[in-house]
C-alpha cells in the first residue's frame, strides 16, 4: 500500500520502471495465501498478485484522493489503516492458543470493568491540565458536568489502549517468529519497557488537546468572541462590580472593573476570575487568574465583541 502511495506521486517514467516490482513481489507473497505443495505455481502467483495488486491500488487511489480532497481528510485514515493491520495481526499472534484465548468469555467483562474508574480519572486529569495547569483556576472551585468528565477521559484512555495494543502486537510478532533472539524473557522485558514508554507518550500527546483548548479560550476571550466549552467546563465573559466599593479582597489584585473577565462558575465561597488582559505578554496564562469572595462582587454577562465594561 505504501508502494502504491509513493508510485502515485512520481512521474510516468518512474511508474513504468517500478511497476514490475509488484508481479515480482507477488511470487514471494503468494505462499502466504496458497500452499505451493497443493497448488500450481501459477495459482500461487495469482493469489499473491491479487493481494499486492489490491493493496497497491488502494495506496495509489488514496494518494490521488488526498490530492483532490486535501491531505488531512485522507492521510489520517490511511495512516491508521497502515498501522492498524499489522498491530491487529500481531495481537492475534500474541493471544492465539494462549490462556487468555481459552478464557476470553470470562476475561473480557473483567478487563472492561476498570474503565468505570479509569475514564473519570483521566477526564479529571485532562480537565485539570486545561483549567488548573494552564489557566491557574483550581478544578475543585468550578462546577463540572459529570458526563463531561467521562467524555474528557475517552481520548486519553483510547490513546493509552492503542499504545498497549502496539506493545502486545510486538510480543505477538516476536512469538510468531519464535522470539527472534531465542530468549522469551528478553523479548517480554524489552516489549514491556517500550510499552510503558509508549503509553506515557500517548497520554502526554492526548493531553495536548487540553492545552490547545486553553490557548483557544484565551484567544477567544482576548478578541471578545463567544467562549467554547471544554468537556463540561463552561466559561463566560462577565463584567465585575464590587459591592463594597474598593474594599473587595482580590488575590492578586486589583479587581478589573473596566473590561470583561472570564468566570467558570464557582461552587464555594470564592469566585475565580481569569483576566485576558493580564495574560498578554506573559509566558504563563495561569498568572492571569485571581480569586475573590463571592459575597463581595456582582457579575453580569458582557456583550459579545465588547472590550470595555460600563462605569460603576
Amino acid at each position: 500500500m505504501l508502494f502504491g502511495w509513493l508510485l502515485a506521486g512520481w512521474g510516468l517514467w518512474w511508474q513504468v520502471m517500478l511497476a514490475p516490482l509488484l508481479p515480482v513481489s507477488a511470487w514471494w507473497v503468494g505462499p502466504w495465501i496458497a500452499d505451493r505443495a497443493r497448488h500450481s505455481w501459477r495459482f500461487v502467483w495469482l493469489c499473491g498478485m491479487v493481494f499486492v495488486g489490491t493493496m497497491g491500488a488502494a495506496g495509489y487511489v488514496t494518494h490521488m484522493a488526498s490530492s483532490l480532497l486535501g491531505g488531512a481528510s485522507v492521510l489520517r485514515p490511511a495512516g491508521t489503516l497502515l498501522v492498524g493491520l499489522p498491530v491487529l495481526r500481531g495481537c492475534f499472534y500474541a493471544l492465539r492458543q494462549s490462556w487468555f484465548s481459552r478464557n476470553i468469555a470470562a476475561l473480557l467483562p473483567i478487563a472492561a470493568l476498570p474503565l468505570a474508574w479509569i475514564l473519570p480519572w483521566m477526564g479529571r486529569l485532562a480537565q485539570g491540565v486545561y483549567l488548573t495547569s494552564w489557566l491557574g483556576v483550581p478544578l475543585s472551585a468550578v462546577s463540572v458536568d459529570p458526563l463531561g468528565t467521562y467524555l474528557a477521559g475517552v481520548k486519553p484512555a483510547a490513546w493509552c489502549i492503542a499504545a498497549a495494543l502496539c506493545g502486545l502486537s510486538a510480543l505477538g510478532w516476536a512469538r510468531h517468529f519464535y522470539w527472534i533472539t531465542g530468549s522469551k524473557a528478553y523479548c517480554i522485558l524489552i516489549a514491556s519497557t517500550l510499552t510503558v514508554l509508549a503509553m506515557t507518550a500517548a497520554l502526554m500527546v492526548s493531553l495536548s488537546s487540553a492545552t490547545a483548548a486553553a490557548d483557544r479560550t484565551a484567544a477567544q476571550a482576548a478578541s471578545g468572541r463567544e467562549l467554547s466549552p471544554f468537556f463540561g467546563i463552561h466559561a463566560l465573559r462577565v463584567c465585575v462590580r464590587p459591592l463594597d466599593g474598593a474594599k473587595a479582597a482580590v488575590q492578586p489584585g486589583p479587581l478589573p472593573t473596566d473590561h470583561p473577565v472570564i468566570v467558570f462558575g464557582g461552587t464555594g465561597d470564592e469566585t475565580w476570575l481569569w483576566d485576558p488582559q493580564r495574560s498578554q505578554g506573559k509566558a504563563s496564562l495561569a498568572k492571569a487568574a485571581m480569586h475573590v469572595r463571592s459575597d463581595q462582587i456582582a457579575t453580569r454577562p458582557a456583550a459579545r465583541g465588547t472590550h470595555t465594561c460600563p462605569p460603576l
Side-chain angles (χ1 to χ4, degrees), residues 109-225:
I110 298 176
L113 189 62
L115 288 177
W117 289 270
I118 293 175
L119 283 179
W121 181 83
M122 288 192 170
R124 296 285 291 184
L125 180 62
Q127 291 172 335
V129 170
Y130 166 78
L131 196 61
T132 305
S133 300
W134 221 246
L135 297 177
V137 179
L139 187 59
S140 58
V142 176
S143 178
V144 180
D145 182 13
L147 179 60
T149 302
Y150 274 89
L151 294 177
V154 171
K155 183 177 180 179
W159 276 78
C160 290
I161 291 173
L165 290 178
C166 290
L168 180 64
S169 174
L171 283 177
W173 284 107
R175 181 190 182 196
H176 178 67
F177 290 108
Y178 302 99
W179 304 108
I180 304 175
T181 63
S183 174
K184 178 180 178 180
Y186 176 79
C187 288
I188 293 177
L189 176 63
I190 295 299
S192 301
T193 303
L194 294 177
T195 300
V196 172
L197 294 176
M199 292 180 68
T200 304
L203 181 61
M204 296 177 65
V205 170
S206 64
L207 293 177
S208 63
S209 61
T211 62
D215 291 332
R216 182 180 66 246
T217 299
Q220 291 172 342
S223 61
R225 291 176 290 166

Side-chain angles (χ1 to χ4, degrees), residues 15-308:
Q15 292 178 356
V16 173
M17 291 290 294
L18 296 177
L21 291 177
L22 285 177
V24 174
S25 63
W27 176 253
W28 178 64
V29 176
W32 298 0
I33 305 171
D35 188 3
R36 287 177 175 169
R38 299 174 56 186
H39 303 282
S40 64
W41 67 268
R42 294 182 180 86
F43 182 80
V44 173
W45 176 82
L46 183 61
C47 290
M49 192 61 199
V50 170
F51 182 83
V52 299
T54 301
M55 297 304 294
Y60 190 94
V61 172
T62 302
H63 186 281
M64 300 301 294
S66 66
S67 302
L68 297 175
L69 303 177
S73 61
V74 182
L75 279 176
R76 187 172 297 176
T80 303
L81 179 63
L82 285 172
V83 175
L85 289 177
V87 167
L88 291 177
R89 189 61 174 175
C91 292
F92 170 75
Y93 286 143
L95 298 178
R96 70 173 180 178
Q97 297 179 359
S98 65
W99 177 83
F100 183 88
S101 63
R102 292 190 295 269
N103 300 274
I104 189 170
L107 291 176
L108 280 181
I110 298 176
L113 189 62
L115 288 177
W117 289 270
I118 293 175
L119 283 179
W121 181 83
M122 288 192 170
R124 296 285 291 184
L125 180 62
Q127 291 172 335
V129 170
Y130 166 78
L131 196 61
T132 305
S133 300
W134 221 246
L135 297 177
V137 179
L139 187 59
S140 58
V142 176
S143 178
V144 180
D145 182 13
L147 179 60
T149 302
Y150 274 89
L151 294 177
V154 171
K155 183 177 180 179
W159 276 78
C160 290
I161 291 173
L165 290 178
C166 290
L168 180 64
S169 174
L171 283 177
W173 284 107
R175 181 190 182 196
H176 178 67
F177 290 108
Y178 302 99
W179 304 108
I180 304 175
T181 63
S183 174
K184 178 180 178 180
Y186 176 79
C187 288
I188 293 177
L189 176 63
I190 295 299
S192 301
T193 303
L194 294 177
T195 300
V196 172
L197 294 176
M199 292 180 68
T200 304
L203 181 61
M204 296 177 65
V205 170
S206 64
L207 293 177
S208 63
S209 61
T211 62
D215 291 332
R216 182 180 66 246
T217 299
Q220 291 172 342
S223 61
R225 291 176 290 166
E226 185 177 354
L227 304 178
S228 302
F230 179 77
F231 293 108
I233 300 177
H234 298 274
L236 181 65
R237 295 176 68 249
V238 298
C239 290
V240 182
R241 179 175 61 88
L243 297 178
D244 53 354
K247 298 181 180 180
V250 183
Q251 296 294 332
L255 180 67
T257 58
D258 58 341
H259 59 270
V261 295
I262 309 304
V263 64
F264 295 93
T267 59
D269 296 333
E270 290 186 329
T271 298
W272 281 82
L273 308 171
W274 191 85
D275 188 355
Q277 290 194 9
R278 288 190 184 183
S279 66
Q280 295 178 2
K282 295 183 179 180
S284 175
L285 296 177
K287 295 181 179 180
M290 68 193 81
H291 59 96
V292 61
R293 288 187 57 86
S294 301
D295 56 0
Q296 294 182 348
I297 61 171
T299 61
R300 61 176 179 178
R304 182 177 181 180
T306 59
H307 297 278
T308 59

